[in-house]
Amino acid sequence: MGRSFLTGQTGTFSRSENRLMTGDELYGIGSVSKIYTTVAVMQLAEDGKVSLDAPVTQYLPDFKMADERYKDITVRMLLNHSSGILGTGLSDAMLFGEASTRAHDTLLEKLSTQRLAADPGAFSVYCNDGFSLAELVVEAITDMDFMDYVDEHILAPLDLDRTFAPGGDFDANDLAPIYRGTDPRALPQDALNAIGAGGIYATASDLASFGGALTGTELLRQSSLDAMAYPEYSRGLWPESGEPDSLAYGLGWDNMEWYPFCQSDIQALVKGGDTLYYHAGLVVLPEYDMAAAVVSSGGVSTYDQLAANQSSSPLWRRRASPWTRL
């Protein structure tokens, strides 16, 4: 996977313990989890078990909506946010101190009463439920729990052992403590129980190592990596003379023409994620075999993405070797 030549952490671990941060703390990475989901789907596509342009109903026959257009939703549309599904049904997913499968188990029931906001494929609008559906697709095809698939087919090949999900086999005390206001008491575990859409925990190093693997062919063929980095946003409505903004979707990626790298004709892939109190940013530079990840228990993912930009910019300017993680 290359080597790490920049790591670091700053801040106080907790308001009640006199201890330094070690870099081994776990953080919720929020919607950066969507990249793991995308990789899982692309692996199944490589194996001929799923077609990106096949209808979701082919893999989830129980998926129905109160809108006949749902039959036109394809797997690709789940990954590029163009399904037309309303967006986010996380009312039973964002919990404190509880690993629950309720949001996962009731997703199809909730969608069955909904109509679509737009024709499938018309344009892309951020949609968490699309990735929760993609999680179900992975489970249906493999007959495996989603996180078991991630462990076996994504984490194990990379020797990553500090990436988990709510309910996983890890010590909750390893999670970076979270606080509300100036209260010195830490809040219970921030658990986003929609794993494929945003529920994964990881250390910064594990997340950066995962990102680094997406600059090579350890997890996916180059054709699949290229497909993830294709300007999917251009498939829908887009001003003819317009330039991509902060959201220029690939498959899974928020933006595959990320500033300021695009000003130097360098492709930078970026994904941000937020839970209630955790935030994460992942920036991958395929041309330079580099990735940078920043995680935090305060702020917002945009700040983490900008910090990842800053940590990697001097390195690609010097053409420093393999890849970086922060």
Side-chain angles (χ1 to χ4, degrees), residues 235-278:
R235 295 181 185 274
L237 300 176
W238 198 263
E240 291 184 6
S241 59
E243 294 294 330
D245 56 16
S246 60
L247 295 177
Y249 298 117
L251 293 177
W253 298 111
D254 284 343
N255 198 313
M256 22 65 59
E257 299 175 15
W258 184 241
Y259 176 89
F261 303 97
C262 61
Q263 293 184 322
S264 300
D265 294 323
I266 295 172
Q267 184 172 55
L269 310 173
V270 67
K271 185 73 189 82
D274 301 274
T275 69
L276 289 171
Y277 284 87
Y278 289 125

Side-chain angles (χ1 to χ4, degrees), residues 65-125:
M65 298 185 72
D67 189 321
E68 286 299 305
R69 294 175 293 176
Y70 81 91
K71 297 175 183 177
D72 297 327
I73 298 173
T74 66
V75 176
R76 180 188 302 277
M77 293 172 190
L78 303 181
L79 303 181
N80 68 15
H81 300 282
S82 70
S83 66
I85 295 173
L86 292 174
T88 299
L90 298 179
S91 58
D92 294 315
M94 304 183 80
L95 303 174
F96 284 112
E98 182 180 355
S100 168
T101 63
R102 178 173 172 77
H104 169 281
D105 298 342
T106 60
L107 177 66
L108 294 182
E109 178 185 349
K110 290 178 179 178
L111 291 176
S112 69
T113 63
Q114 294 182 14
R115 296 188 59 80
L116 294 175
D119 289 338
F123 53 86
S124 294
V125 175

Side-chain angles (χ1 to χ4, degrees), residues 20 69 77 135 137 142 150 165 263:
L20 296 175
R69 294 175 293 176
M77 293 172 190
E135 174 185 344
V137 169
T142 64
V150 170
Q263 293 184 322

Side-chain angles (χ1 to χ4, degrees), residues 156-317:
L158 302 178
D159 293 323
L160 301 180
D161 60 4
R162 298 293 291 160
T163 301
F164 306 97
D169 186 18
F170 69 97
D171 187 344
N173 292 320
D174 289 345
L175 288 165
I178 54 176
Y179 298 90
R180 181 175 177 84
T182 59
D183 193 327
R185 298 168 298 177
L187 293 168
Q189 175 183 344
D190 182 347
L192 205 172
N193 294 286
I195 311 305
I200 291 176
Y201 300 117
T203 62
S205 292
D206 255 32
L207 179 55
S209 294
F210 169 67
L214 299 181
T215 69
T217 55
E218 292 169 280
L219 293 176
L220 293 171
R221 299 170 190 160
Q222 188 59 49
S223 57
S224 295
L225 296 171
D226 292 343
M228 287 178 63
Y230 181 82
E232 289 286 324
Y233 67 86
S234 66
R235 295 181 185 274
L237 300 176
W238 198 263
E240 291 184 6
S241 59
E243 294 294 330
D245 56 16
S246 60
L247 295 177
Y249 298 117
L251 293 177
W253 298 111
D254 284 343
N255 198 313
M256 22 65 59
E257 299 175 15
W258 184 241
Y259 176 89
F261 303 97
C262 61
Q263 293 184 322
S264 300
D265 294 323
I266 295 172
Q267 184 172 55
L269 310 173
V270 67
K271 185 73 189 82
D274 301 274
T275 69
L276 289 171
Y277 284 87
Y278 289 125
H279 313 280
L282 176 65
V283 175
V284 175
L285 306 181
E287 179 184 351
Y288 289 86
D289 298 325
M290 291 170 54
V294 175
V295 292
S296 65
S297 58
V300 68
S301 62
T302 304
Y303 299 160
D304 292 351
Q305 292 169 32
L306 294 175
N309 276 9
Q310 191 169 17
S311 69
S312 57
S313 293
L315 301 171
W316 63 258
R317 290 181 192 279

